[in-house]
Amino acid sequence: MRLVAIVCVQDQGPKKEDFRLLYYFDKGDGKLIKRIRKVGRRSMRTKSIIREHPVADLFEREIHDYYGVEFEGNPNLHVPLFLPEEEKNKHPLLKGEKNA
Amino acid sequence: MHDFVMPVGPQSPALKEPMLLKLKLEGEEVRSVDMRLGYTHKGVEGLLEGKNVDQAMYVASRICGICSISHERAFIRTVEDMMKKEVNERVKLIRTILFELERISSHLLWAGFMMHEIGFDTLFQYLWREREGVLDLFESICGNRVHKNICKIGSLRYDIAPVQEREVLDCLDSMQEKLKDYEDEIKKNKVIKERLKGVGKISKKTAIEYGLIGPNARASGIDNDVRRIDPYDSYADINFKTIVIKKGDAMERTLLRMREVHESMGIIRQCVEMLPSEKIPKFSLTNIKEGEAIGRVEAPRGELFYFLKVEDGLIRRAKVRTPTFAFIKILEKILKGVKIGDVPVIVASLDPCFSCMERVLVAKEDREEWMTEAEFRRKYSC
């Protein structure tokens, strides 16, 4: 199965503390398979899938840059990808008191 | 023990795209690669949040200059899926024509660059001369040569007039023979063969492991084409071949794209022939209160993926996964062990596109205005 994308969604409303990580896989038959992983706002941690899907490295680093989610097992997670050094740990898409 | 680290980019005559490759060299051989992206990052996903669907479409269309219609189309496919909206046959066919014209334009642009990278500037100019004809068609049909902005939800901004149908066919007829000659030149020219054959080889196993997509995957023997496996517009009703080659080197990637141009021409001719006389529907503002959907299309560089989440009529999350982002990781693998002189050719042969610029262009009737994203936000309060 090919990993198509990982989408991080920060839900608003009663459960706004949580993130949903949506993993889309392509089996090659035209339909995408969706797997959902919930990440608590307090822990902000989940497991990396780069062993099974090396392409997930960049996807996970992008989510880390934008939202600050930690992917355990990804050795490149803290290597800057998109954002400049001075923007590190600012997480521009994270909604919260600071970034609202 | 490595001899030294050589940075290539972000501005380098050897790379046409702004990326930084830190190459650890031992003599002339590359031992390992560190990659840094983000030099043209402009925060489009943040810019899309808080806009309604009609406003956001203009932003989506401007994400990439080369594949502007692909971004529009992927965005619209996502929204139309959310709305369960059906479009009429004429709209589907015109969208397909424009989509394939864009593929021709992109492949010729890339082929020109490829020839430039290996020092064959004559062929580079010839290929771009043919591409001019396609850009003229865009100007005639869409009003713009680069950011076309032709698609609307459920419809199109402009219809194609019979005289424009003729223009499209004439353009294809005039370039067909010439492109065959150029393809023959690529196949036979000794210098091109020396520079491209066996260079940057990607095996099918590596391609699968790194989730390669689009023409790069098809040149490594993977039959992956969203137009066939998940058809949209008129692709299900049209006869076309998905070209798959097994060798996976820079030469095969070049020839595959040239053959895809001919395939696109065949698709366009079929679409023009099938165009019904019905009118395209008038478009209106979109009314979506909430929803979550994904959409994907086969852009010239491969699968382009969109995710949209709408709440209270406004986009709350937009995710754009461009083809380059899905395959650029493979560079770390295939550059290992190659000679430094082959690096620009291998990078170019994958056709990467980091086109998201930090600025946006605001066109106002007879004048143009360039500004940064922050200035744009301030001025237009978005």
Side-chain angles (χ1 to χ4, degrees):
Chain A
M1 280 202 302
R2 178 174 62 86
L3 177 66
V4 174
I6 309 177
V7 183
C8 181
V9 183
Q10 186 179 4
D11 288 318
Q12 309 290 308
K15 287 187 177 177
K16 65 182 174 184
E17 295 295 302
D18 287 336
F19 296 92
R20 271 184 299 146
L21 289 178
L22 312 177
Y23 293 77
Y24 289 96
F25 296 95
D26 186 1
K27 269 174 76 180
D29 60 358
K31 284 182 185 165
L32 293 183
I33 298 170
K34 184 165 89 172
R35 294 277 177 269
I36 305 173
R37 219 183 241 186
K38 288 210 167 184
V39 179
R41 179 70 196 265
R42 283 190 181 174
S43 75
M44 298 281 273
R45 274 177 190 281
T46 188
K47 281 186 180 164
S48 167
I49 59 164
I50 61 164
R51 274 198 182 175
E52 300 81 17
H53 302 276
V55 68
D57 177 33
L58 295 184
F59 298 166
E60 290 177 355
R61 282 162 68 184
E62 187 193 29
I63 292 172
H64 175 74
D65 271 9
Y66 291 167
Y67 288 94
V69 176
E70 294 283 336
F71 290 87
E72 290 168 357
N74 185 338
N76 307 318
L77 201 63
H78 297 276
V79 180
L81 180 68
F82 279 135
L83 302 179
E85 287 282 354
E86 58 271 21
E87 296 288 320
K88 211 177 170 186
N89 300 326
K90 286 198 177 169
H91 312 309
L93 291 186
L94 183 64
K95 315 285 184 302
E97 285 168 18
K98 263 188 182 178
N99 299 29
Chain B
M1 188 72 183
H2 305 303
D3 280 344
F4 64 93
V5 178
M6 179 178 174
V8 181
Q11 281 100 32
S12 162
L15 296 177
K16 296 290 169 289
E17 297 283 348
M19 74 184 299
L20 172 61
L21 292 171
K22 285 184 186 168
L23 306 174
K24 287 179 184 159
L25 301 173
E26 202 170 292
E28 281 218 0
E29 204 173 297
V30 178
R31 286 296 179 191
S32 69
V33 183
D34 282 337
M35 205 166 49
R36 177 77 203 268
L37 308 170
Y39 294 98
T40 51
H41 184 255
K42 64 178 180 184
V44 169
E45 291 176 9
L47 200 60
L48 287 169
E49 287 182 6
K51 289 187 170 47
N52 67 37
V53 167
D54 295 295
Q55 291 169 324
M57 210 179 63
Y58 294 97
V59 181
S61 164
R62 280 157 180 78
I63 289 175
C64 181
I66 305 169
C67 40
S68 146
I69 291 179
S70 305
H71 279 274
E72 281 180 40
R73 192 60 204 93
F75 182 88
I76 284 175
R77 188 177 190 195
T78 314
V79 174
E80 285 175 353
D81 268 14
M82 212 184 286
M83 296 167 74
K84 311 270 182 257
K85 196 175 178 79
E86 280 293 317
V87 295
N88 79 16
E89 224 27 59
R90 189 173 175 86
V91 172
K92 281 184 187 175
L93 286 162
I94 294 175
R95 282 178 180 177
T96 312
I97 291 171
L98 293 167
F99 206 80
E100 291 305 316
L101 279 175
E102 188 174 77
R103 191 178 315 280
I104 294 174
S105 152
S106 173
H107 281 359
L108 292 182
L109 175 106
W110 170 84
F113 268 141
M114 194 65 194
M115 293 304 114
H116 174 67
E117 285 300 344
I118 60 174
F120 199 159
D121 277 357
T122 312
L123 197 47
F124 155 53
Q125 293 294 333
Y126 279 147
L127 286 160
W128 276 34
R129 183 184 63 185
E130 302 315 320
R131 181 175 176 261
E132 275 301 302
V134 182
L135 294 186
D136 288 343
L137 284 179
F138 282 133
E139 192 173 2
S140 164
I141 297 168
C142 314
N144 295 322
R145 288 161 69 84
V146 180
H147 292 299
K148 291 91 181 179
N149 233 170
I150 181 85
C151 298
K152 297 292 282 183
I153 311 288
S155 185
L156 293 160
R157 186 179 299 281
Y158 305 114
D159 200 349
I160 290 187
V163 65
Q164 287 168 323
E165 289 174 27
R166 195 64 252 158
E167 278 175 19
V168 171
L169 295 176
D170 287 348
C171 174
L172 299 187
D173 291 343
S174 77
M175 72 162 75
Q176 182 134 20
E177 282 306 311
K178 290 177 196 161
L179 289 180
K180 273 186 186 155
D181 288 347
Y182 305 153
E183 199 182 325
D184 285 345
E185 185 63 29
I186 293 170
K187 276 183 200 162
K188 290 175 189 165
N189 189 293
K190 199 180 166 191
V191 177
I192 298 178
K193 280 201 280 189
E194 289 285 326
R195 290 294 273 124
L196 300 183
K197 269 204 165 174
V199 173
K201 214 166 180 178
I202 304 174
S203 67
K204 189 173 179 181
K205 191 182 162 214
T206 309
I208 292 172
E209 191 185 344
Y210 280 80
L212 216 60
I213 49 171
N216 296 327
R218 295 196 283 275
S220 292
I222 300 174
D223 189 356
N224 179 315
D225 191 336
V226 180
R227 292 175 296 174
R228 191 171 293 287
I229 59 172
D230 188 8
Y232 49 96
D233 289 344
S234 302
Y235 287 111
D237 311 321
I238 284 172
N239 289 323
F240 69 99
K241 273 194 297 188
T242 303
I243 299 160
V244 181
I245 308 177
K246 286 179 183 166
K247 286 182 185 165
D249 60 3
M251 185 68 163
E252 295 302 321
R253 289 196 279 276
T254 309
L255 291 175
L256 182 127
R257 285 184 175 94
M258 293 302 285
R259 285 172 64 187
E260 282 196 353
V261 169
H262 291 289
E263 210 53 47
S264 294
M265 287 181 181
I267 294 174
I268 295 168
R269 286 199 177 99
Q270 287 180 57
C271 289
V272 172
E273 214 168 273
M274 287 160 69
L275 269 180
S277 54
E278 61 187 327
K279 286 189 172 178
I280 61 167
K282 285 183 179 172
F283 54 83
S284 54
L285 290 177
T286 316
N287 185 20
I288 306 177
K289 286 288 167 229
E290 60 178 26
E292 202 174 284
I294 56 163
R296 56 178 178 158
V297 295
E298 185 71 19
R301 288 170 184 77
E303 179 194 54
L304 171 63
F305 173 93
Y306 265 67
F307 169 92
L308 290 177
K309 182 188 172 189
V310 178
E311 264 179 13
D312 305 326
L314 300 175
I315 293 175
R316 294 295 177 201
R317 174 75 174 115
K319 167 78 193 150
V320 183
R321 204 277 282 127
T322 58
T324 304
F325 194 52
F327 68 66
I328 201 70
K329 175 82 180 159
I330 204 166
L331 274 182
E332 292 178 357
K333 170 97 177 171
I334 62 171
L335 288 182
K336 273 183 199 168
V338 305
K339 299 279 182 213
I340 181 88
D342 284 335
V343 171
V345 176
I346 295 173
V347 175
S349 77
L350 292 175
D351 193 11
C353 172
F354 308 103
S355 68
C356 299
M357 288 171 62
E358 226 172 54
R359 299 183 291 171
V360 287
L361 172 67
V362 184
K364 279 188 167 182
E365 292 173 5
D366 58 344
R367 65 193 178 90
E368 292 177 346
E369 208 178 324
W370 285 94
M371 55 183 74
T372 64
E373 186 194 319
E375 287 164 350
F376 180 84
R377 277 171 175 267
R378 249 193 324 273
K379 189 161 183 182
Y380 294 95
S381 320
C382 52

